[in-house]
Amino acid sequence: WKESEIVSVLDVACGLSLKSKFIPAQIRVGVDIYEKYFEHIESEVPYVVIKYDVRRLREIFVPKSFDLVIALDVIEHLEKEESLDMIAQCEEIARKAVVLETPKGYVPQNMDIQGHGGHTFQTHRCGWEPEELEKLGYKVIVRDYMMSNAKRHTEIDVDPSIQLIDAIKFI
């Protein structure tokens, strides 16, 4: 998009990082279920955060209420059917596009690697393949990615070398 074409961004499961801070927009809203993460967001841009369950977005946002909806590193944290429903809700809320990011395949994780006590929310519950998102109408790229070497699972070692799926659907 050209500068000023994206006025509003909804950052779904913004967690610790408020990824929307890198998008030139006037309105940034983050939503996450775990309020403790809000205390650790570092951002030099204005934003608002809402504590809410991302599986129930349509309860608090009307259709077409944000130009762009991003859900980065979240769909793997839900059961597959919950993820599909959340994606559908994101598409309802977006005016221009939805952007998703998730590991390719299943990456085991059952703990909060940042140490903020959000183990339940950080557990990976499903994995995704590019073809699944393409069937939903997303344009997809797959890229190599090196995760931090943090411990991710209480019982097994997880290879930090993975691939990420970046996907966009224009509405």
Side-chain angles (χ1 to χ4, degrees):
W1 291 278
K2 294 176 186 169
E3 191 171 331
S4 77
E5 278 190 294
I6 300 297
V7 174
S8 58
V9 179
L10 176 61
D11 196 331
V12 176
C14 61
L16 298 163
S17 60
L18 196 73
K19 297 148 194 94
S20 61
K21 71 181 180 182
F22 299 107
I23 300 167
Q26 295 171 0
I27 301 165
R28 287 175 198 80
V29 176
V31 60
D32 203 293
I33 196 169
Y34 194 50
E35 191 173 7
K36 186 160 179 70
Y37 288 156
F38 298 160
E39 300 168 14
H40 303 280
I41 291 175
E42 293 181 11
S43 181
E44 56 285 341
V45 297
Y47 64 92
V48 173
V49 289
I50 299 168
K51 180 184 180 215
Y52 211 76
D53 187 336
V54 299
R55 295 171 294 184
R56 298 173 24 220
L57 294 171
R58 64 174 60 94
E59 293 179 3
I60 59 171
F61 299 112
V62 298
K64 308 289 183 208
S65 55
F66 289 88
D67 290 328
L68 182 63
V69 177
I70 63 172
L72 310 181
D73 299 315
V74 60
I75 60 176
E76 69 272 16
H77 294 274
L78 306 173
E79 299 295 337
K80 185 68 72 128
E81 288 303 314
E82 292 174 323
S83 292
L84 287 165
D85 185 55
M86 190 206 77
I87 291 169
Q89 291 179 67
C90 290
E91 292 171 6
E92 292 168 15
I93 294 166
R95 279 192 290 264
K96 297 185 179 186
V98 175
V99 177
L100 306 173
E101 183 177 79
T102 188
K104 180 179 182 291
Y106 178 72
V107 176
Q109 181 171 302
N110 70 353
M111 55 193 301
D112 180 347
I113 65 171
Q114 300 291 329
H116 298 296
H119 303 301
T120 300
F121 308 115
Q122 291 301 317
T123 298
H124 287 186
R125 293 174 173 81
C126 69
W128 289 83
E129 294 299 327
E131 300 78 22
E132 293 176 282
L133 294 172
E134 289 171 342
K135 285 181 183 175
L136 296 175
Y138 285 80
K139 294 181 181 192
V140 172
I141 62 166
V142 177
R143 63 186 172 94
D144 293 334
Y145 183 76
M146 181 64 70
M147 300 186 299
S148 70
N149 214 9
K151 185 165 179 59
R152 296 178 182 286
H153 202 282
T154 54
E155 299 171 14
I156 60 175
D157 290 330
V158 178
D159 186 351
S161 179
I162 65 167
Q163 290 187 308
L164 283 180
I165 300 170
D166 293 310
I168 187 167
K169 183 174 186 177
F170 296 98
I171 305 299

